[in-house]
Amino acid sequence: MSKPELAKYKDRMDKSVTSLKEDFGGLRTGRASSSLLEGIVVDAYGSTMPITSCAAISVPEPRMISVNVWDKGLVISVEKAIRNSGLGLNPVTDGTTLRVPIPPLTEERRKDLVKIAGKYAEEKRVAVRNIRRDANDDIKKAEKDSHISEDEQKKMITEIQGFTDAAIKRIDEQLKIKEAEIMQV
């Protein structure tokens, strides 16, 4: 092993922060969003597939999602998958198109969503800290194997800590924005 590449650890931390945005996209905020349905899997042709592989999702108005199923035989499977997704949505079938009205959120549901958002953010904070731990282990090993000096080790560990602090700060900022979005009436 040679001198550790700090950029790869920064990239991994950045990916954790980016994946948080995707997780938050699946949280319902009372407004229609195509990302709300993207995580749903449909039983189709004897296996499971993402809903985006068998239907087009669009948002024609702020409180309505439209799902155009490409194969008429899958309409019932797609409707069932949306109903059973745990999102509290009830699609209305109109031929090969499903209209999914987005009901307004109750205060209790908003609080639950804030808790879920907090849980997602904490998972990403833990992931970032695990990346920091991996980086520090590699740096210490490189110093032990005489690939870097003790001064370089200290400098690199300080730099990794800076990456960690920045990533966690971005996670906290995203969480604050999402909480405000959820609690907005």
Side-chain angles (χ1 to χ4, degrees), residues 3-184:
K3 185 176 178 178
E5 292 288 326
L6 299 187
K8 76 177 182 181
Y9 299 109
K10 184 176 185 326
D11 287 345
R12 286 175 55 196
M13 289 180 185
D14 289 344
K15 285 178 184 166
S16 288
V17 174
T18 302
S19 72
L20 180 63
K21 287 180 185 172
E22 294 167 14
D23 291 348
F24 282 169
L27 286 179
R28 194 166 67 107
T29 59
R31 267 182 301 219
S33 168
S34 60
S35 64
L36 191 59
L37 302 180
E38 287 176 0
I40 295 176
V41 289
V42 178
D43 290 326
Y45 311 117
S47 66
T48 57
M49 63 173 52
I51 194 168
T52 53
S53 297
C54 55
I57 302 170
S58 61
V59 182
E61 52 190 84
R63 291 208 177 266
M64 180 75 66
I65 299 174
S66 177
V67 181
N68 293 320
V69 183
W70 297 319
D71 183 352
K72 192 172 186 170
L74 293 179
V75 173
I76 293 170
S77 295
V78 171
E79 179 183 4
K80 187 176 174 185
I82 293 170
R83 280 190 203 283
N84 298 337
S85 66
L87 296 172
L89 301 174
N90 292 307
V92 178
T93 307
D94 183 17
T96 58
T97 302
L98 299 172
R99 289 189 316 276
V100 185
I102 306 297
L105 295 173
T106 64
E107 189 64 28
E108 185 178 325
R109 181 67 179 144
R110 288 178 196 276
K111 289 177 182 172
D112 289 344
L113 288 174
V114 167
K115 285 180 189 172
I116 292 169
K119 188 180 81 172
Y120 287 164
E122 185 56 31
E123 288 171 2
K124 297 308 174 188
R125 285 188 208 103
V126 169
V128 167
R129 290 182 193 121
N130 287 340
I131 295 165
R132 175 187 62 193
R133 186 196 62 224
D134 293 346
N136 287 344
D137 290 348
D138 289 349
I139 292 167
K140 288 174 185 170
K141 186 176 181 339
E143 194 269 333
K144 184 180 175 196
D145 296 344
S146 301
H147 293 295
I148 61 173
S149 69
E150 195 174 326
D151 288 344
E152 281 180 298
Q153 174 194 356
K154 288 179 182 175
K155 183 179 171 227
M156 292 171 104
I157 286 176
T158 303
E159 196 171 339
I160 286 292
Q161 185 60 47
F163 295 158
T164 305
D165 293 343
I168 288 176
K169 182 179 178 192
R170 291 197 325 261
I171 289 169
D172 291 342
E173 288 168 355
Q174 284 185 24
L175 177 60
K176 215 182 256 184
I177 291 167
K178 190 64 177 182
E179 285 175 345
E181 187 180 311
I182 291 170
M183 296 310 286
Q184 184 179 0

